Amino acid sequence: MFKDIAIDQCDFDRYTFVDVRSPSEYREITIPGSVNIPVFDDGERAEVGTLYKKVSKEVATERGLEIFSAKLPRFIKECKKLDGQIVVFCWRGGMRSKAAATFLDLMGMKTLRVQGGVRAYRHWVLKGLEEFEMKSDTFVLNGGTGIGKTAILKELQKEGYPILDIEGLANHRGSIFGEIGLTANNQKTFDSLLFQELKKLKKSPFLLFEAESKRIGKLLLPDFLVEEKEKNAFHLFIEMPMKVRVDHILQEYRLHEHHEEFVEAFRLIKRRIHSPVANEIEDELKGKNYERILELLLEYYYDPRYRHMANQYPAERRVTIKVHSIEEAYQEIKKLLQEKSLLVPVQ
């Protein structure tokens, strides 16, 4: 017989999680890294749910078993492809995960079931974020738009430095143009991924992350992370020539492939830009002169905001690094991290 396991007792590195809910439920929220092998598709789930509400639990259960029975050979086959200890879950640890775990057990596959399902997992994540304490020294990477902060972080991460890539977890670049060419994660997915990374990095001697506001697109950062940035962290400010920044933005955003998204994003901030400049940007958009557009946005919109933010931190908690390339910035930050923390990368 399968066994139930509490979410806080799960070994997320060793277990193989199987989400047996419908594809739309899986897209909304799941345990990161889980495999979706649904008991019902979206239409079947709606059918069984309607029977449950309008007829009876018994009729709904019978129809559910009838649907699932037809899928059993494929379901078992898919699960047999998986490595490691299988742990199944549904929304509340109810009928779907019980049926899945029972049949897997009958086939001789040792199976666990998440007690309370993904709902219990969501509550666990929210409680964990609410109670999380930053015990590591923290460094925050700052700089004007286009200096390649994410690229710098990724290079440091490859070398074993403890990096929290917030924008990567959000799948959003953080600015009003941050979702161009991307599909941002929803809040539930972001919270789950963030908590997962924080748990991994909890024992790191220090932590480096990019300066972010309270909101990334539509996503909200937990209060403790914003407070850590504002009150305790040591800030690394990168300065880089305008042309290098523009070239990097053009390379990363590929604006020629996402012109309409870029135009729409600009319209959202147009009223915040001095009218003559905003009008010039609109004229340049017609000719898709992205280089000039970016120069104007950086000089008259992003850089003034950046300078205002930079002046909020006391001199003893900040340093400015002037460089001419992302590679140079990466090398300088490595040196500074070792000097400030007296630590080497955590491999």
Side-chain angles (χ1 to χ4, degrees), residues 236-254:
L236 316 178
F237 287 90
I238 309 299
E239 292 187 4
M240 200 174 288
M242 174 75 75
K243 185 179 186 312
V244 177
R245 295 164 61 196
V246 169
D247 289 345
H248 180 255
I249 295 171
L250 289 173
Q251 181 180 359
E252 181 182 4
Y253 282 69
R254 303 190 311 277

Side-chain angles (χ1 to χ4, degrees), residues 88-101:
V88 300
F89 64 93
C90 59
W91 172 235
R92 290 184 296 185
M95 182 183 74
R96 288 179 290 180
S97 58
K98 181 179 181 180

Side-chain angles (χ1 to χ4, degrees), residues 322-339:
K322 296 184 178 182
V323 294
H324 293 85
S325 68
I326 292 175
E327 173 62 24
E328 187 181 351
Y330 160 66
Q331 295 296 342
E332 289 298 317
I333 289 172
K334 278 206 306 183
K335 292 181 195 174
L336 193 143
L337 282 175
Q338 291 173 348
E339 292 171 3

Side-chain angles (χ1 to χ4, degrees), residues 142-282:
N142 296 262
T145 299
I147 67 160
K149 294 185 287 292
T150 298
I152 293 168
L153 289 177
K154 287 187 181 300
E155 286 302 312
L156 289 167
Q157 193 172 45
K158 287 178 184 177
E159 290 203 24
Y161 284 84
I163 302 299
L164 184 65
D165 182 7
I166 298 173
E167 291 187 2
L169 300 175
N171 205 34
H172 192 289
R173 299 186 190 93
S175 72
I176 195 69
F177 300 98
E179 204 171 344
I180 291 177
L182 301 173
T183 300
N185 288 324
N186 62 29
Q187 186 72 50
K188 294 175 182 177
T189 299
F190 174 67
D191 289 342
S192 297
L193 294 171
L194 177 62
F195 187 53
Q196 183 181 63
E197 282 301 297
L198 286 168
K199 282 174 64 64
K200 288 180 182 178
L201 296 168
K202 191 170 184 178
K203 295 183 179 180
S204 298
F206 70 96
L207 186 64
L208 175 65
F209 57 91
E210 183 176 341
E212 303 288 353
S213 62
K214 173 68 176 176
R215 188 180 292 274
I216 302 178
K218 296 179 181 179
L219 304 177
L220 291 174
L221 287 177
D223 290 339
F224 77 86
L225 204 55
V226 178
E227 185 174 326
E228 179 68 19
K229 181 195 75 169
E230 300 294 338
K231 296 182 178 180
N232 302 316
F234 188 87
H235 291 259
L236 316 178
F237 287 90
I238 309 299
E239 292 187 4
M240 200 174 288
M242 174 75 75
K243 185 179 186 312
V244 177
R245 295 164 61 196
V246 169
D247 289 345
H248 180 255
I249 295 171
L250 289 173
Q251 181 180 359
E252 181 182 4
Y253 282 69
R254 303 190 311 277
L255 297 178
H256 60 285
E257 299 176 15
H258 305 283
H259 180 74
E260 294 305 321
E261 291 177 71
F262 185 58
V263 171
E264 185 59 33
F266 167 70
R267 286 172 181 160
L268 295 175
I269 62 169
K270 179 183 175 183
R271 62 183 177 81
R272 305 179 200 168
I273 302 173
H274 190 47
S275 293
V277 177
N279 292 336
E280 183 178 352
I281 291 174
E282 284 204 318

